[in-house]
Amino acid sequence: MADDAIEVLLEEGRTFPPPDEFKQSGNLNDPGVWEKADKDPEGFWAEQAQQLDWFKPWDKVLEWDCPWAKWFIGGKLNVSYNCLDRHVKTARKNKAAIIWEGEPGDERVLTYRDVWREVNKFANVLKGLGVQKGDRVALYLGMVPELLIAMHACNRIGAVHSVVFGGFSAESLSDRINDASAKVLVTGDGGYRRGTIIPLKKNADEAVESSPSIEHVVVVRRVGSESDATMKEGRDHWWHELMADAPLWCEPEQMDSEDMLFSLYTSGTTGKPKGIVHTTAGYLLGVYLANKWVFDMKEDDVFWCAADIGWVTGHTHIVYGPMANGVTQVMYEGSPDWPDKDRLWRMVEKYGVTIFHTAPTAIRTFMRWGTEFPAAHDLSSLRLLGSVGEPINPEAWMWYHEHIGHQNCPIMDTWWQTETGHPLITPFPGITTLKPASATKPFPGVEADIVDEQGNSVPLGGGGYLVLKRPWPAMLRTVFNDPDRYVETYWSRFPGMYFAGDGAKRDKDGYFWLLGRVDDVMNVSGHRISTMEVESALVDHQAVAEAAVIGKQHEVKGQGICAFVSLITGVDNTPELVDELRAHVAKKIGAIARPDELYYAAELPKTRSGKIMRRLLRDIADGKALGDTTTLADPTVVAKLKEQYEDE
Ligand code: WTA
C-alpha cells in the first residue's frame, strides 16, 4: 500500500462503539478476559478447552520448544463427535444444520441428525475403501453438502483431509495429491458455476493420471446427465451407490490432541504450495471459540459465511467452527450474480440470515453493481457482519455498514491466515469500538506485535512487520513433509517470533491496521498466489524465455496480477500470444491465477548478480518515478520498459 494511503487510513476518525444489545448479551462481554489471559495464557486456554467434549482429559496444557508446540498433551477427543454427536444427543437433533441452495435453485435442508447419519455412513465407506487412521484423503468438489460430510467423515476415522479448491486445475490438484500421497480422491461429476458446468471429474481424471497414490475415486453425482464424466471400472465409484449399503454407525476414533486433523495447501514465496498442518484439539478449540465470540453465535442464529470450503475460511467458518457451536448455516453452491446480482440478498431475506460473512473483494464488487440490488430485499434479519481475507478499505467498510447492515450491524474485520487457524486480530461485537478498516486488536491470549527490521518492537503510531510472540492452540504445527520449511518460513526472520508476512501499523490507541503482504505473495480477490507460481507457469510455455510477476493495486480484486515476459528469440510478440499466455497460466494453476495484464519486455531489469528487480517493475506498474537503479546490470533496460509501459 502506498504511504499516502496509509496516512489516510490512520487519520480515519470515525468510531463505532458496541451497540447496547451486544454489550449486554454478547457471548463475550467481559473486558477483563484480556488481562486474565495475559497473566496466565495456559490457564486461560485450559479453562476454555473445558467447553469441548473430551474422551479423556489432557495431562499437560502446553509443551513449547520454539517453534514446536504441543497443546493439551495426553487428551483424547474426536472432532466430528464435537460437531455432531454432542448436538444429536440434545434438542438440537432435528435442528437445521445446513440450509443448502444449489445455483440452479434446488434446495436441501440437512438437520444435525441428517449430517451425523451421512457422516457416519461415509466414514464407513472410507474404511471400506481401505482408508485408515493417518491416511490422506483428497477432496475436490464444489460447494455441495457432500464436501462437508466427507471432511467430517475423515476426521471421524482419523484420516487427514486435504481439500483442493474446485477452481484449481488438474495439474494443481495432482501436485497437491502427490505431496500428500493421498489414497482416495472424492470429487463430483461436475459443479454449477455461473450457469456453466465445472468439469470436476474430467480434471480429476487428468490429475489422477499423474498421481499414482490414488487407489479409489469417489464421485458425487451433482450435474447428472449434463456431465461428460466417465467412470473407470474398479477405480471409480458413485458416492450414492457406496452410501446405499453403508452401515449407519461408525465409532468415532479416539484421537490424540496432537493427531493431525487436516492439511490445506497455501502459497508461499516459492513456486511450490505448502501443506499447512493443523491438529485436532488446538484447532477445534480455536475455531469453536472464535465463532462463538467473534460471530456471537446463539441458538437462534442463521449464519452464512459466503466463502468456499476450498479455502481456510470455509474450513473454520463453515465446516468446523459453526458446527462445533451447533448453529444453523446457509450454504450456497454458485455465483453471487446468478441468475442476477441480488442472489445473496434474496437468500438473506428468504432464510432470515442473522450473521453474514464475506470478503472485501466481494463487497467492492457489490458496490460496483449498485445499491439497488440489496435495496430490493428485506435485510432486517441481519445483526452482525464479517469481513476476511484482505485489508478492507474504509469506503467498502462504510458501504457494507450502510447498505447491508443498515447501520445496525457491527462489522467484524478479522485478520488471520491459513496458518493461524482462526482470527487472531479481530473485534468482538460486545466489547470493541470499531474503526472502519482496522482489524482492531488481538484475540485474548494472543500476543501480537509490530517490529522493525531488527525485530525490535515499534512504539504505538509506528509501522513494521506483524509478528506473534506466543504460541496459541490453533497454530499450524508444521508444513506437511517439510519441517525445515516451517522453521525457515515462519520462525527464522525474527528468532522466537512467528513472522506472518504482513506489514502493519498501530495507532495511538493500539489498534492494528493491516497493510498487505511484505513478501512475494499476492492477494488476489482474497486468494493467496505467489509471484513465483505464476512465473513458473509462464516460463513453462514454449514461447517464454523469462517472466517476472508482480501484484498491482486493483480496484475490486485488491491486487491484480501483472506479468512481464521476455520471449524466446524468433517468437513474435503478438496480441494473440498475450491471450494464449494468460490462458496457459489459467490452465496450469486455475482461473484465479490468470494475469490481468501481460507485457512484453525485450529484457527484464536485473541486478548484476542476476536477480530480477521486482521492485522496479512495481514502480513501473504503479506509474511511479523509478527508485534507485544503480545496482542494475543495465539501467537502460528498465528505462526502456517504463517508456514502453506508458505507451500501452
Ligand atoms: C490477508 C485467509 C488484512 C493477509 C483467512 C494474510 C488480511 C493473508 C485480513 C492470509 C484482514 C486476511 N485484513 N489482511 N482482515 N485477513 N488477510 O491464508 O495478508 O488465505 O497474511 O487466510 O490474507 O490469507 P489466507
Side-chain angles (χ1 to χ4, degrees):
M1 201 180 278
D3 285 349
D4 42 346
I6 296 168
E7 290 318 317
V8 171
L9 256 189
L10 292 182
E11 277 165 25
E12 171 62 54
R14 289 168 286 201
T15 55
F16 297 81
D20 286 342
E21 69 265 27
F22 281 99
K23 260 191 182 155
Q24 280 144 23
S25 54
N27 283 344
L28 181 67
N29 56 9
D30 169 16
V33 167
W34 277 264
E35 201 188 320
K36 204 169 135 195
D38 280 342
K39 267 201 194 127
D40 176 14
E42 288 178 41
F44 162 75
W45 290 112
E47 190 185 328
Q48 303 308 327
Q50 316 243 356
Q51 298 179 62
L52 302 179
D53 271 30
W54 296 82
F55 298 135
K56 176 182 171 291
W58 59 91
D59 306 313
K60 194 174 172 203
V61 180
L62 170 68
E63 242 174 57
W64 178 229
D65 178 13
C66 185
W68 308 105
K70 285 187 185 157
W71 284 90
F72 306 109
I73 297 145
K76 299 272 184 202
L77 74 171
N78 181 279
V79 171
S80 80
Y81 185 92
N82 272 274
C83 293
L84 296 164
D85 300 54
R86 69 164 169 171
H87 307 313
V88 167
K89 287 181 181 165
T90 70
R92 286 185 183 143
K93 176 166 154 180
N94 286 326
K95 174 176 177 172
I98 304 291
I99 302 175
W100 177 84
E101 217 178 89
E103 193 183 75
D106 44 339
E107 282 172 46
R108 278 166 75 184
V109 177
L110 289 102
T111 64
Y112 270 95
R113 171 88 189 178
D114 290 334
V115 179
W116 174 85
R117 187 185 58 241
E118 299 301 295
V119 165
N120 272 274
K121 289 172 71 176
F122 197 64
N124 284 323
V125 165
L126 289 174
K127 279 189 171 172
L129 295 175
V131 177
Q132 295 177 352
K133 185 177 168 187
D135 284 346
R136 272 81 57 204
V137 174
L139 307 175
Y140 181 65
L141 277 160
M143 283 289 285
V144 288
E146 283 79 2
L147 174 52
L148 173 148
I149 289 164
M151 291 163 81
H152 281 295
C154 284
N155 77 58
R156 193 163 188 91
I157 63 171
V160 168
H161 61 67
S162 169
V163 180
V164 180
F165 173 56
F168 273 127
S169 65
E171 193 172 323
S172 296
L173 172 60
S174 174
D175 286 349
R176 287 160 174 76
I177 293 173
N178 294 346
D179 190 72
S181 312
K183 236 181 172 170
V184 168
L185 168 65
V186 183
T187 186
D189 62 350
Y192 292 103
R193 184 81 194 176
R194 207 166 272 136
T196 62
I197 291 186
I198 305 170
L200 292 170
K201 179 64 166 66
K202 207 169 128 257
N203 291 347
D205 286 343
E206 204 181 316
V208 171
E209 258 169 46
S210 33
S211 294
S213 61
I214 294 290
E215 294 168 14
H216 296 280
V217 179
V218 181
V219 187
V220 175
R221 179 172 279 164
R222 168 65 190 132
V223 298
S225 58
E226 294 183 70
S227 160
D228 54 2
T230 52
M231 301 290 276
K232 186 168 168 188
E233 189 69 34
R235 186 197 70 183
D236 298 354
H237 318 268
W238 286 108
W239 170 289
H240 59 274
E241 285 177 6
L242 294 174
M243 289 290 268
D245 308 322
L248 201 144
W249 167 249
C250 174
E251 184 75 27
E253 192 72 34
Q254 301 221 352
M255 301 296 287
D256 195 272
S257 291
E258 279 299 322
D259 277 338
M260 188 168 162
L261 176 62
F262 67 82
S263 142
L264 180 62
Y265 286 82
T266 188
S267 292
T269 49
T270 71
K272 189 173 166 284
K274 50 199 170 187
I276 301 300
V277 172
H278 281 287
T279 55
T280 302
Y283 176 80
L284 180 65
L285 173 62
V287 303
Y288 167 76
L289 261 195
N291 281 275
K292 179 174 173 176
W293 284 355
V294 178
F295 287 108
D296 198 47
M297 287 181 184
K298 301 264 170 53
E299 201 57 56
D300 294 337
D301 274 315
V302 180
F303 179 71
W304 186 8
C305 168
D308 194 288
I309 292 175
W311 310 106
V312 76
T313 302
H315 283 55
T316 295
H317 292 299
I318 301 175
V319 179
Y320 290 118
M323 296 202 71
N325 279 278
V327 83
T328 295
Q329 295 187 79
V330 169
M331 182 173 167
Y332 171 53
E333 177 184 37
S335 173
D337 58 352
W338 192 265
D340 209 344
K341 297 185 174 70
D342 68 341
R343 180 66 181 264
L344 303 189
W345 319 124
R346 186 178 290 279
M347 286 176 63
V348 167
E349 179 177 14
K350 182 172 171 189
Y351 301 115
V353 172
T354 58
I355 311 169
F356 180 76
H357 190 25
T358 191
T361 184
I363 299 167
R364 291 191 296 265
T365 305
F366 305 147
M367 287 171 77
R368 276 243 297 234
W369 288 344
T371 52
E372 63 270 32
F373 297 102
H377 296 280
D378 177 3
L379 306 182
S380 60
S381 57
L382 289 171
R383 67 183 191 94
L384 189 60
L385 298 173
S387 169
V388 61
E390 42 170 331
I392 181 169
N393 42 313
E395 299 73 31
W397 198 101
M398 289 307 298
W399 189 92
Y400 199 28
H401 184 248
E402 276 166 32
H403 297 286
I404 307 302
H406 296 289
Q407 305 187 357
N408 294 318
C409 305
I411 297 175
M412 302 297 102
D413 173 6
T414 58
W415 175 87
W416 58 294
Q417 309 178 296
T418 307
E419 293 87 341
T420 69
H422 63 90
L424 291 194
I425 300 181
T426 174
F428 295 86
I431 290 186
T432 314
T433 291
L434 306 171
K435 300 187 188 183
S438 168
T440 75
K441 294 191 178 182
F443 200 93
V446 169
E447 190 182 348
D449 200 0
I450 292 174
V451 298
D452 63 18
E453 293 286 343
Q454 282 73 43
N456 302 312
S457 182
V458 172
L460 295 190
Y465 303 102
L466 177 65
V467 294
L468 301 164
K469 291 183 152 172
R470 209 190 267 159
W472 65 101
M475 66 191 273
L476 79 164
R477 296 299 190 268
T478 189
V479 171
F480 192 77
N481 268 344
D482 201 349
D484 293 345
R485 193 165 173 199
Y486 167 68
V487 178
E488 157 78 27
T489 311
Y490 304 105
W491 300 94
S492 301
R493 180 76 173 78
F494 303 112
M497 301 178 212
Y498 172 88
F499 174 61
D502 278 309
K505 272 204 166 196
R506 222 169 359 187
D507 67 18
K508 59 182 185 335
D509 301 325
Y511 276 54
F512 286 74
W513 300 78
L514 278 304
L515 305 173
R517 303 286 308 190
V518 294
D519 51 14
D520 291 329
V521 175
M522 298 175 287
N523 191 329
V524 181
S525 299
H527 301 145
R528 272 165 77 169
I529 302 169
S530 94
T531 52
M532 296 255 300
E533 268 175 279
V534 181
E535 286 166 6
S536 320
L538 283 167
V539 287
D540 174 79
H541 191 284
Q542 63 206 22
V544 177
E546 259 190 323
V549 166
I550 55 163
K552 183 187 170 186
Q553 244 185 329
H554 187 286
E555 210 184 309
V556 174
K557 297 179 172 184
Q559 277 187 314
I561 303 177
C562 178
F564 294 85
V565 296
S566 63
L567 300 175
I568 302 270
T569 319
V571 176
D572 284 344
N573 51 3
T574 59
E576 292 73 36
L577 185 57
V578 169
D579 293 340
E580 190 179 318
L581 293 177
R582 293 175 65 230
H584 185 73
V585 177
K587 164 124 189 49
K588 292 284 289 182
I589 305 177
I592 49 167
R594 186 194 307 269
D596 298 272
E597 298 174 22
L598 192 142
Y599 300 98
Y600 294 117
E603 271 178 89
L604 294 169
K606 288 192 193 141
T607 60
R608 282 181 208 105
S609 58
K611 270 183 82 170
I612 295 175
M613 296 279 282
R614 286 203 187 72
R615 175 176 60 78
L616 293 175
L617 295 174
R618 247 176 253 133
D619 287 347
I620 294 177
D622 288 339
K624 284 200 213 142
L626 292 177
D628 184 8
T629 58
T630 50
T631 52
L632 284 177
D634 178 1
T636 61
V637 167
V638 69
K640 263 190 254 156
L641 204 54
K642 185 170 165 64
E643 224 170 82
Q644 178 198 334
Y645 182 91
E646 282 162 2
D647 285 348
E648 289 199 26

